[in-house]
Amino acid sequence: MSGLNKDHGKLIHMLHDTQKKFGYIPAHSISQISGELKISESEIFGVLTFYKAFALEPRGRHLITICMGTACHVRGGVQIVEEMERKLNIKVGKTTANRKFTLETVNCLGCCAIGPVVVVNGKYYSNITIKKVDAILKEYQESE
Amino acid sequence: MIIIIDGKKIEVEGKRTVLEVAREKDIFIPSLCDHPQLTPFGGCRLCIVEIKEKRGYPPSCSTYVENGMEIKTKTPRLQELRREILELILSEHPNACLICSEKENCDEYKSTIRKVGEVTGCVLCSNNGRCELQDVVETLKIDKVKFPSVYRDLDVKKGDPFFDRDYNLCILCGRCVRVCQEVRGASAVSFVYRGSEAVVGTVFDLPLLESGCQFCGACVDVCPTGSLTERGIRYEGLPDERAKTICPLCSIGCELKIDLKRQKILSSKPSDEGAVNEGQACVKGRFLIKDVVHSPRRILKPLIRVNKKLEEVSWEGALDFVAQKLKKFKGKKTALIASPQVSCEEYFLLHKFASEELKTENVDSSYRFSPLAVFDKMAKENGLELGLNFEIKDISRAKTLFLIGEDISKSHPIIWLEVLKAVKGGAKLIVASPEELSLSRYSALWLQIKPGTEFYLLSFLSKLFLQKEQEADHPRIEGLDSFEDSLDKLDLSNVFEMTGITREELKEASELLLDTENAAFLFGMGLTQHSWGSRNVAALWNLALQAQAQLFPLGLENNLRGVFEIGRNSSDKGLNLNQIFQAASSGELKALYLAGPAPYLKKANLELLVIQDSFVNENFEFADAVLPASTFAETEGTFINGEGRLQKFNKVIDPLGEAKPDWWIISQLARRMGNKGFHFKNPSDITKEMIKIVPSFSNISYAELEKGQKIFIQEETKKERSFIPLKYSDSHYKKSKEYPFLMFLDYSLDYYRSLSLSQESRGLKAIRDSRWIKVSLEDAEELNLKEGENIAVESSSGKFKGFVKIVKSLPKGILGASFLLSEDSDFSVSGLIPSVFQESHSLGMLPVKIKREK
Ligand code: SF4
Ligand code: SF4
Ligand code: SF4
Ligand code: SF4
Ligand code: FES
Ligand code: FES
């Protein structure tokens, strides 16, 4: 195909670097990478939106992921999402103004037996109910 | 190799897909994402087949044939699977109409109920008539969709020029993404997001205007559904007629298919059979043809000046009036100017008219500074006979390409596509331009040159070459010694500072150019428009000899070559274009016949001005008579495109109003003035006479052309190869305290006769406005100029207005503006007249200052 595709490996590498540096991919980085690799901005956007690992908005220091897989869903996942949204005052996919928390959902983490599941910075919390939400948040609000 | 499809033995050669072979043999396999001009994608899976000894159901569009393959395309299992796949596709597409049992009865309503925001079925879709999704539903006989339907409810994108994007109708076939990337090299759209959110889109969902889109319309033309639709035809209903002709808006001459309804042009699309364009066009041919032909600025009645006012008269009245007047101004005091956009026949006739009836040799057209004319002049001055013909297709075979003095993705879009092919095949592209072009993305090297210093760049490259050559053992080309001498005498000590290009870049350029077998040098107005243009071309010629490159002179107007051939076959003793305008101002000239755009003639001192044009323009103010000429769409004839290729354009509609073809008007006038040699009934009568008189046209034949024969105009090409000694010249532009900027005049092709296309079409204006004045980011910041702000530019001899367009890549101190004769005088660079039209004055760069306008 196009002689340019060989650069896609390099592109992903550069996107990773950018993500590491800023915590997300800012618009100006896209135009810069576009100039450097000579790949159009829309193409880069296509690649980066393909991977969940890249964020288009800055992320908080703590990433909260709530499982919305079928099992977790039927056991009250929705309520947990709502509670989190209310407590943090943001919608799913967004980051709090103080850049402390980013809220995301995910489909089945493969541990349905212990659902509903919430993961914060890679740490799993099992059998979550609305009541437990506060405690989880506190853990991170205080850890400065 | 031999393969078997559905029991039929087929001989195949080369690397072909199963689908391609089947299509060729009229074996029908349903398909949606495949497109003959694009690489296989294998997305929709409708084209699945069964292949003996292969597992599963491979998609035929991306399976290549192998010897002995046995393929089945129509088993019941395949049909069932295909139906299932199609039902899946339809579950995410408005399908009510597709499976409606009444759909046949619905046809006549289709064109009347489209004025809705949301397309929920075919009756509301502006694409019917050419929907491939409808076609496959038909062939696979789908009458139900067993999966739950979803409507994605995405916003319809209506903010861009020319076409809307409704991705609720998109089946993600990826044709638009591929054509934009593979064929056009724009990559303005791409697949974004993934899984159920996947959609075609742009970076951050920005408008196409901000995503590098060329508005070529190629995506619209390959889209199998109604997702991408031309806005202009939404409410127009279906065409009742289709015609073919040649686009007159640049020197490529794309073949276009024109859709008509009641003698009105609905839309124009590139023709797949076009020998030059093969299914591609550009924004002008694709979206502007109907605006040009049906412009509200068309003049549709003859006018003559009575009691100081222009009044409508009959043709009889107008022709008598003009014939009477012209009789009084025969000879040297009369001049005629013709547009390089009229046909060969018409230009020939205008010449004949001038010499036989007006008895003047003062006939010209605006081609003096074109690459063709300058190249030819340079050759003549140096005693060489060089050919101007070339074939666009040859460009894609080049291994190294050097582009100087033209942004071909705008001015020669189809040539750009060939350059892109070469680059995708591994060729190296070197671009020399003052500002970064969108195509620079594909270049191996971009030389940001200060306009006007091309001579130094080229000479220095030659010098670097010679140093290398000495080590190699090449056959010596004639004239090498004197060329070497002349190079030695040239002071190139400050070439880096002068050109703005670094030593490393120049070295890299010379290495890229030297290390090649098949090089193509493409050059445009930016190289030739300077008063020392022919010296520039000589320098390029030498470099091309050293690199064994083929030269491609890129003229602008559609019939520039034809006009040039006729022009050089006639006397050149008369005044040329610039001299005519000078003589008009000084009063030496008494009568002027304008059959082409001219600058505002306020300063002219004429006793008679006759305008033969298609569009209202400012010079009507001074005209004694206006003769309404029809456009290309209303007559027929021949153009010679930039390659030197003969092109026949056809009459598509009857002349609008009382407009008449140029050839008719001139014939009538001549007859009225008593000339018996103008009894032409149609353009082919003129062709017959013309080919007897213009030697290079002697092989013109409509019959052969219609048989598909390609005909190039004849030229003597003694393959002479001899270096040209370079003359030293202190030729570059200087600014002053009072005029601290240098303004680059960019010859714009966005005009047709006296119509400025970007002023006629809002869409084109959003893409590129002839009234933009390009300012560098640094200067804009320093002067606190905002994008779009009104400013004026002043030189020592004039002034014109425009709007700030900030261009990041422009170097500080340089401005850019379009040079367009069809622009209103206030906004036209020719407002800097008289300087622009003085032969001595350079048309390259002008020292100017910027003034704020309220
Ligand atoms: S795209 Fe085709 S199938 Fe879809 S609504 Fe339009 S005409 Fe009907
Ligand atoms: S109009 Fe041309 S450049 Fe623009 S998106 Fe479509 S194919 Fe690409
Ligand atoms: S917009 Fe049209 S061409 Fe593009 S992917 Fe969708 S259906 Fe295919
Ligand atoms: S490339 Fe030239 S000839 Fe072709 S459509 Fe565009 S303007 Fe017309
Ligand atoms: S559904 Fe939540 S872990 Fe599987
Ligand atoms: S046409 Fe083959 S997969 Fe779409």
Side-chain angles (χ1 to χ4, degrees):
Chain A
M1 261 182 57
S2 126
L4 297 170
N5 277 2
K6 61 178 184 296
D7 284 345
H8 274 191
K10 224 191 219 163
L11 168 61
I12 291 188
H13 189 76
M14 286 177 88
L15 287 172
H16 267 303
D17 283 352
T18 313
Q19 172 83 27
K20 231 187 248 160
K21 189 162 156 206
F22 298 102
Y24 74 112
I25 314 283
H28 68 84
S29 301
I30 298 184
S31 33
Q32 195 195 328
I33 295 174
S34 163
E36 226 163 285
L37 293 187
K38 304 183 171 189
I39 299 175
S40 90
E41 296 190 13
S42 292
E43 240 176 305
I44 295 175
F45 192 75
V47 171
L48 84 90
T49 54
F50 191 80
Y51 300 102
K52 275 246 164 162
F54 301 123
L56 284 167
E57 284 183 51
R59 293 214 188 175
R61 263 186 310 257
H62 308 299
L63 173 64
I64 305 176
T65 318
I66 307 171
C67 179
M68 288 295 272
T70 324
C72 292
H73 188 109
V74 296
R75 293 192 213 164
V78 183
Q79 282 88 327
I80 292 164
V81 170
E82 283 168 2
E83 180 71 7
M84 281 283 188
E85 288 185 335
R86 214 164 43 80
K87 283 266 150 69
L88 296 172
N89 198 20
I90 49 168
K91 289 269 163 220
V92 168
K94 297 286 172 192
T95 299
T96 54
N98 60 8
R99 293 271 179 101
K100 213 163 218 175
F101 294 104
T102 295
L103 188 59
E104 280 181 359
T105 58
V106 67
N107 278 329
C108 189
L109 293 160
C111 46
C112 312
I114 58 162
V117 182
V118 170
V119 185
V120 185
N121 300 346
K123 182 173 167 195
Y124 282 63
Y125 294 83
S126 56
N127 297 311
I128 299 302
T129 59
I130 307 180
K131 288 198 192 103
K132 289 189 188 166
V133 166
D134 250 349
I136 298 175
L137 288 181
K138 243 198 198 115
E139 211 177 298
Y140 297 90
Q141 255 148 5
E142 278 156 18
S143 76
E144 225 8 64
Chain B
M1 67 184 108
I2 303 274
I3 62 166
I4 298 169
I5 304 184
D6 294 341
K8 214 161 118 189
K9 268 200 186 153
I10 297 169
E11 247 207 84
V12 195
E13 259 170 59
K15 197 180 176 213
R16 316 281 307 279
T17 67
V18 173
L19 184 62
E20 271 171 352
V21 176
R23 253 194 217 130
E24 208 176 86
K25 297 288 167 204
D26 285 326
I27 299 168
F28 177 76
I29 304 175
S31 63
L32 271 175
C33 65
D34 186 73
H35 190 279
Q37 283 168 11
L38 305 174
T39 52
F41 180 59
C44 74
R45 305 259 141 191
L46 270 182
C47 66
I48 47 171
V49 288
E50 287 178 28
I51 299 175
K52 198 173 176 180
E53 279 159 24
K54 285 214 175 187
R55 274 198 294 143
Y57 304 93
S60 59
C61 68
S62 38
T63 304
Y64 291 91
V65 292
E66 287 161 25
N67 194 20
M69 244 185 195
E70 270 180 57
I71 300 147
K72 284 191 184 140
T73 73
K74 289 190 185 56
T75 66
R77 178 74 189 131
L78 280 174
Q79 292 300 75
E80 192 190 314
L81 278 173
R82 283 178 191 148
R83 268 200 288 274
E84 196 142 299
I85 290 164
L86 188 54
E87 281 183 48
L88 269 172
I89 294 173
L90 291 181
S91 72
E92 290 194 31
H93 189 96
N95 58 38
C97 295
L98 284 170
I99 54 179
C100 174
S101 56
E102 295 290 314
K103 64 181 168 194
E104 275 82 42
N105 307 332
C106 218
D107 269 358
E108 45 199 283
Y109 298 112
K110 278 184 182 160
S111 59
T112 57
I113 42 180
R114 284 204 198 116
K115 293 175 190 170
V116 289
E118 205 169 90
V119 177
T120 48
C122 307
V123 281
L124 305 173
C125 181
S126 52
N127 200 35
N128 61 55
R130 53 170 287 262
C131 179
E132 294 179 38
L133 191 54
Q134 275 185 348
D135 296 346
V136 283
V137 167
E138 207 65 31
T139 47
L140 289 176
K141 301 203 175 41
I142 303 278
D143 50 14
K144 59 166 194 348
V145 174
K146 59 173 172 284
F147 305 101
S149 287
V150 277
Y151 183 72
R152 299 187 67 183
D153 204 15
L154 303 164
D155 286 340
V156 181
K157 308 209 179 314
K158 298 182 171 170
D160 279 306
F162 305 119
F163 59 94
D164 293 338
R165 294 178 289 145
D166 181 354
Y167 292 123
N168 294 301
L169 304 179
C170 174
I171 55 166
L172 295 171
C173 69
R175 286 190 190 177
C176 56
V177 174
R178 280 175 290 155
V179 81
C180 191
Q181 203 248 37
E182 293 170 11
V183 181
R184 307 299 309 200
S187 297
V189 287
S190 181
F191 282 119
V192 297
Y193 300 102
R194 87 187 221 193
S196 61
E197 285 165 39
V199 64
V200 174
T202 59
V203 58
F204 291 112
D205 205 21
L206 287 172
L208 287 174
L209 268 174
E210 291 165 48
S211 314
C213 173
Q214 308 161 345
F215 294 93
C216 63
C219 52
V220 179
D221 293 335
V222 295
C223 179
T225 72
S227 317
L228 307 178
T229 46
E230 185 177 351
R231 198 173 303 125
I233 55 167
R234 251 204 136 85
Y235 309 131
E236 296 280 6
L238 302 175
D240 54 24
E241 220 185 312
R242 174 168 278 187
K244 260 191 195 173
T245 194
I246 299 287
C247 173
L249 301 179
C250 90
S251 65
I252 306 289
C254 292
E255 188 173 283
L256 299 176
K257 293 179 290 191
I258 314 270
D259 279 349
L260 302 164
K261 186 171 187 178
R262 289 188 214 103
Q263 283 286 301
K264 194 170 178 285
I265 296 178
L266 291 187
S267 76
S268 47
K269 298 193 186 82
S271 151
D272 290 340
E273 295 88 56
V276 195
N277 58 312
E278 292 177 338
Q280 296 299 315
C282 80
V283 58
K284 293 193 282 182
R286 179 65 179 81
F287 294 114
L288 297 188
I289 296 293
K290 70 166 181 293
D291 291 350
V292 167
V293 175
H294 298 287
S295 160
R297 297 181 65 139
R298 283 290 301 270
I299 0 159
L300 301 173
K301 281 205 155 101
L303 308 169
I304 59 172
R305 195 165 294 277
V306 194
N307 302 326
K308 303 211 162 126
K309 266 178 59 198
L310 280 182
E311 284 181 6
E312 287 178 4
V313 280
S314 65
W315 267 110
E316 292 288 302
L319 291 167
D320 284 340
F321 177 88
V322 174
Q324 282 308 318
K325 293 261 174 175
L326 280 176
K327 275 186 190 159
K328 290 186 217 143
F329 294 98
K330 293 196 173 185
K332 280 206 167 73
K333 292 196 169 354
T334 305
L336 187 149
I337 287 172
S339 158
Q341 291 176 320
V342 300
S343 69
C344 293
E345 288 76 10
E346 288 164 339
Y347 194 70
F348 171 78
L349 222 55
L350 285 159
H351 253 277
K352 179 173 154 90
F353 177 68
S355 78
E356 291 178 16
E357 272 318 305
L358 303 179
K359 308 269 184 242
T360 181
E361 292 173 324
N362 306 332
V363 189
D364 204 7
S365 183
S366 49
Y367 57 73
R368 298 276 155 194
F369 291 95
S370 79
L372 288 191
V374 176
F375 185 49
D376 190 65
K377 187 168 152 223
M378 182 282 294
K380 294 260 157 63
E381 279 168 4
N382 294 287
L384 299 170
E385 279 287 340
L386 301 176
L388 292 170
N389 289 356
F390 61 82
E391 281 202 53
I392 290 175
K393 288 269 166 304
D394 289 343
I395 295 172
S396 62
R397 283 194 286 275
K399 291 276 166 280
T400 306
L401 299 126
F402 181 40
L403 172 65
I404 184 164
E406 203 69 83
D407 181 359
I408 51 170
S409 67
K410 298 194 178 77
S411 61
H412 300 75
I414 303 299
I415 291 189
W416 158 237
L417 303 187
E418 294 301 315
V419 170
L420 183 67
K421 271 187 212 159
V423 171
K424 293 208 162 186
K428 297 271 188 290
L429 170 65
I430 303 160
V431 179
S433 64
E435 69 179 270
E436 189 168 10
L437 312 178
S438 57
L439 59 80
S440 311
R441 192 195 304 154
Y442 291 93
S443 65
L445 183 66
W446 169 43
L447 304 171
Q448 183 167 28
I449 189 167
K450 290 188 189 153
T453 66
E454 298 81 4
F455 178 77
Y456 301 99
L457 161 74
L458 299 169
S459 312
F460 191 80
L461 286 176
S462 281
K463 213 164 185 165
L464 290 180
F465 260 48
L466 278 178
Q467 287 162 6
K468 287 231 161 174
E469 284 282 287
Q470 262 142 26
E471 297 153 24
D473 190 26
H474 275 307
R476 288 178 76 82
I477 296 169
E478 211 176 300
L480 184 62
D481 293 335
S482 53
F483 170 49
E484 263 190 273
D485 278 354
S486 72
L487 265 181
D488 282 343
K489 284 195 202 103
L490 215 56
D491 178 12
L492 292 170
S493 52
N494 58 348
V495 62
F496 311 115
E497 193 199 328
M498 199 139 53
T499 58
I501 303 169
T502 64
R503 180 188 296 274
E504 290 67 40
E505 286 169 331
L506 280 165
K507 213 170 143 254
E508 196 184 338
S510 77
E511 276 157 17
L512 285 170
L513 288 173
L514 197 62
D515 176 37
T516 187
E517 287 133 49
N518 194 353
F521 286 11
L522 288 70
F523 65 103
M525 286 294 274
L527 188 71
T528 58
Q529 71 192 93
H530 312 277
S531 57
W532 52 84
S534 89
R535 236 173 300 161
N536 283 353
V537 178
L540 187 70
W541 165 255
N542 288 330
L543 191 65
L545 272 186
Q546 290 175 299
Q548 301 176 37
Q550 189 185 350
L551 282 181
F552 294 86
L554 306 177
L556 290 178
E557 286 86 356
N558 57 325
N559 198 29
L560 188 78
R561 183 69 194 279
V563 160
F564 176 65
E565 289 298 324
I566 295 164
R568 71 168 165 189
N569 189 50
S570 348
S571 140
D572 59 356
K573 279 188 229 110
L575 302 176
N576 66 29
L577 190 79
N578 301 330
Q579 292 162 336
I580 290 173
F581 288 119
Q582 282 166 48
S585 331
S586 70
E588 264 168 72
L589 202 70
K590 296 281 181 261
L592 181 58
Y593 196 106
L594 273 185
Y600 190 49
L601 293 171
K602 194 178 175 82
K603 299 230 172 72
N605 230 329
L606 294 165
E607 285 170 32
L608 178 68
L609 176 66
V610 180
I611 298 181
Q612 173 179 323
D613 205 331
S614 313
F615 306 95
V616 177
N617 63 67
E618 289 181 303
N619 282 327
F620 279 24
E621 203 183 306
F622 316 111
D624 297 285
V626 174
L627 307 174
S630 59
T631 65
F632 71 100
E634 296 141 78
T635 184
E636 58 169 17
T638 54
F639 297 139
I640 309 290
N641 82 349
E643 302 167 293
R645 181 195 296 264
L646 175 72
Q647 296 182 309
K648 165 93 186 344
F649 66 98
N650 303 315
K651 181 173 159 190
V652 170
I653 52 171
D654 290 331
L656 299 188
E658 290 175 30
K660 293 283 184 190
D662 295 83
W663 65 265
W664 182 92
I665 301 173
I666 291 296
S667 306
Q668 290 293 325
L669 264 182
R671 275 148 73 169
R672 243 158 255 254
M673 292 171 80
N675 193 311
K676 298 230 159 39
F678 280 78
H679 280 278
F680 304 106
K681 278 193 227 61
N682 49 48
S684 45
D685 283 350
I686 308 168
T687 319
K688 277 178 214 140
E689 178 168 330
M690 176 176 79
I691 61 183
K692 276 187 240 145
I693 291 175
V694 184
S696 52
F697 287 174
S698 58
N699 60 336
I700 285 184
S701 151
Y702 287 178
E704 292 293 304
L705 198 64
E706 261 145 36
K707 272 190 243 151
Q709 201 50 271
K710 68 178 177 194
I711 300 175
F712 278 70
I713 62 177
Q714 292 191 317
E715 52 182 13
E716 295 228 346
T717 42
K718 295 185 220 130
K719 285 265 174 246
E720 279 165 287
R721 287 152 42 88
S722 162
F723 284 107
I724 297 166
L726 295 172
K727 290 188 200 88
Y728 176 73
S729 66
D730 177 29
S731 35
H732 59 277
Y733 300 99
K734 295 168 196 85
K735 34 195 171 194
S736 63
K737 260 224 169 76
E738 200 188 343
Y739 299 105
F741 292 94
L742 283 177
M743 194 178 65
F744 179 66
L745 307 184
D746 192 358
Y747 275 75
S748 167
L749 233 195
D750 289 342
Y751 78 99
Y752 178 68
R753 303 192 75 152
S754 55
L755 187 73
S756 160
L757 300 181
S758 69
Q759 300 314 311
E760 179 63 37
S761 155
R762 262 196 302 157
L764 190 67
K765 196 195 200 104
I767 302 168
R768 48 181 200 248
D769 189 338
S770 57
R771 295 181 179 176
W772 277 347
I773 295 173
K774 295 179 180 170
V775 183
S776 73
L777 189 60
E778 269 179 282
D779 288 325
E781 274 169 2
E782 208 160 281
L783 300 170
N784 198 16
L785 295 173
K786 300 269 166 314
E787 181 93 359
E789 188 177 338
N790 288 354
I791 53 169
V793 165
E794 233 180 81
S795 77
S796 58
S797 51
K799 159 180 158 164
F800 79 102
K801 291 192 260 185
F803 307 104
V804 173
K805 173 73 188 172
I806 299 173
V807 177
K808 242 203 231 153
S809 62
L810 212 60
K812 189 172 158 31
I814 289 185
L815 305 178
S818 300
F819 184 94
L820 194 67
L821 280 179
S822 302
E823 182 57 281
D824 286 349
S825 54
D826 272 358
F827 296 93
S828 167
V829 177
S830 62
L832 305 184
I833 287 173
S835 60
V836 163
F837 280 104
Q838 270 160 23
E839 188 92 86
S840 59
H841 200 294
S842 144
L843 284 157
M845 303 265 281
L846 292 171
V848 294
K849 64 181 171 195
I850 296 180
K851 289 187 89 186
R852 272 210 159 70
E853 286 280 293
K854 278 285 126 47

mmCIF file of all heavy atoms in Angstrom, chain A residues 67 69-72 108-112 117, ligand 5:
data_model
loop_
_atom_site.group_PDB
_atom_site.id
_atom_site.type_symbol
_atom_site.label_atom_id
_atom_site.label_comp_id
_atom_site.label_asym_id
_atom_site.label_seq_id
_atom_site.Cartn_x
_atom_site.Cartn_y
_atom_site.Cartn_z
ATOM 1 N N CYS A 67 -16.441 -1.243 36.141
ATOM 2 C CA CYS A 67 -16.823 -2.275 35.182
ATOM 3 C C CYS A 67 -18.304 -2.156 34.838
ATOM 4 O O CYS A 67 -19.152 -2.003 35.709
ATOM 5 C CB CYS A 67 -16.530 -3.661 35.740
ATOM 6 S SG CYS A 67 -17.033 -4.926 34.569
ATOM 7 N N GLY A 69 -19.510 -4.446 32.488
ATOM 8 C CA GLY A 69 -19.809 -5.718 31.826
ATOM 9 C C GLY A 69 -21.148 -6.243 32.309
ATOM 10 O O GLY A 69 -21.688 -5.752 33.301
ATOM 11 N N THR A 70 -21.678 -7.241 31.646
ATOM 12 C CA THR A 70 -23.037 -7.696 31.946
ATOM 13 C C THR A 70 -23.206 -8.058 33.428
ATOM 14 O O THR A 70 -24.145 -7.593 34.086
ATOM 15 C CB THR A 70 -23.395 -8.922 31.079
ATOM 16 O OG1 THR A 70 -22.791 -8.735 29.814
ATOM 17 C CG2 THR A 70 -24.879 -9.073 30.929
ATOM 18 N N ALA A 71 -22.288 -8.827 33.936
ATOM 19 C CA ALA A 71 -22.426 -9.295 35.318
ATOM 20 C C ALA A 71 -22.444 -8.122 36.284
ATOM 21 O O ALA A 71 -23.301 -8.032 37.169
ATOM 22 C CB ALA A 71 -21.298 -10.258 35.658
ATOM 23 N N CYS A 72 -21.483 -7.238 36.132
ATOM 24 C CA CYS A 72 -21.410 -6.085 37.028
ATOM 25 C C CYS A 72 -22.600 -5.176 36.841
ATOM 26 O O CYS A 72 -23.112 -4.583 37.783
ATOM 27 C CB CYS A 72 -20.119 -5.312 36.805
ATOM 28 S SG CYS A 72 -18.660 -6.236 37.333
ATOM 29 N N CYS A 108 -16.413 -5.723 31.150
ATOM 30 C CA CYS A 108 -15.956 -6.959 31.783
ATOM 31 C C CYS A 108 -14.445 -7.067 31.970
ATOM 32 O O CYS A 108 -13.675 -7.146 31.023
ATOM 33 C CB CYS A 108 -16.422 -8.192 31.015
ATOM 34 S SG CYS A 108 -16.066 -9.690 31.940
ATOM 35 N N LEU A 109 -14.067 -7.109 33.214
ATOM 36 C CA LEU A 109 -12.647 -7.219 33.538
ATOM 37 C C LEU A 109 -12.241 -8.668 33.764
ATOM 38 O O LEU A 109 -11.113 -8.960 34.137
ATOM 39 C CB LEU A 109 -12.343 -6.397 34.800
ATOM 40 C CG LEU A 109 -12.497 -4.883 34.592
ATOM 41 C CD1 LEU A 109 -12.684 -4.186 35.928
ATOM 42 C CD2 LEU A 109 -11.311 -4.312 33.861
ATOM 43 N N GLY A 110 -13.197 -9.557 33.583
ATOM 44 C CA GLY A 110 -12.868 -10.974 33.692
ATOM 45 C C GLY A 110 -12.900 -11.507 35.114
ATOM 46 O O GLY A 110 -12.369 -12.574 35.400
ATOM 47 N N CYS A 111 -13.489 -10.755 36.023
ATOM 48 C CA CYS A 111 -13.594 -11.273 37.386
ATOM 49 C C CYS A 111 -15.020 -11.064 37.873
ATOM 50 O O CYS A 111 -15.263 -10.514 38.942
ATOM 51 C CB CYS A 111 -12.585 -10.596 38.306
ATOM 52 S SG CYS A 111 -12.543 -8.806 38.111
ATOM 53 N N CYS A 112 -15.942 -11.522 37.058
ATOM 54 C CA CYS A 112 -17.357 -11.275 37.279
ATOM 55 C C CYS A 112 -17.806 -11.765 38.652
ATOM 56 O O CYS A 112 -18.734 -11.207 39.248
ATOM 57 C CB CYS A 112 -18.198 -11.961 36.208
ATOM 58 S SG CYS A 112 -17.578 -11.650 34.563
ATOM 59 N N VAL A 117 -17.208 -4.442 40.103
ATOM 60 C CA VAL A 117 -15.794 -4.197 40.322
ATOM 61 C C VAL A 117 -15.438 -2.750 40.000
ATOM 62 O O VAL A 117 -15.903 -2.194 39.008
ATOM 63 C CB VAL A 117 -14.949 -5.132 39.430
ATOM 64 C CG1 VAL A 117 -13.464 -4.918 39.687
ATOM 65 C CG2 VAL A 117 -15.330 -6.572 39.660
HETATM 66 S S1 FES C 5 -18.843 -7.963 34.170
HETATM 67 FE FE1 FES C 5 -17.585 -6.841 35.525
HETATM 68 S S2 FES C 5 -15.886 -8.172 35.662
HETATM 69 FE FE2 FES C 5 -17.099 -9.218 34.217
#
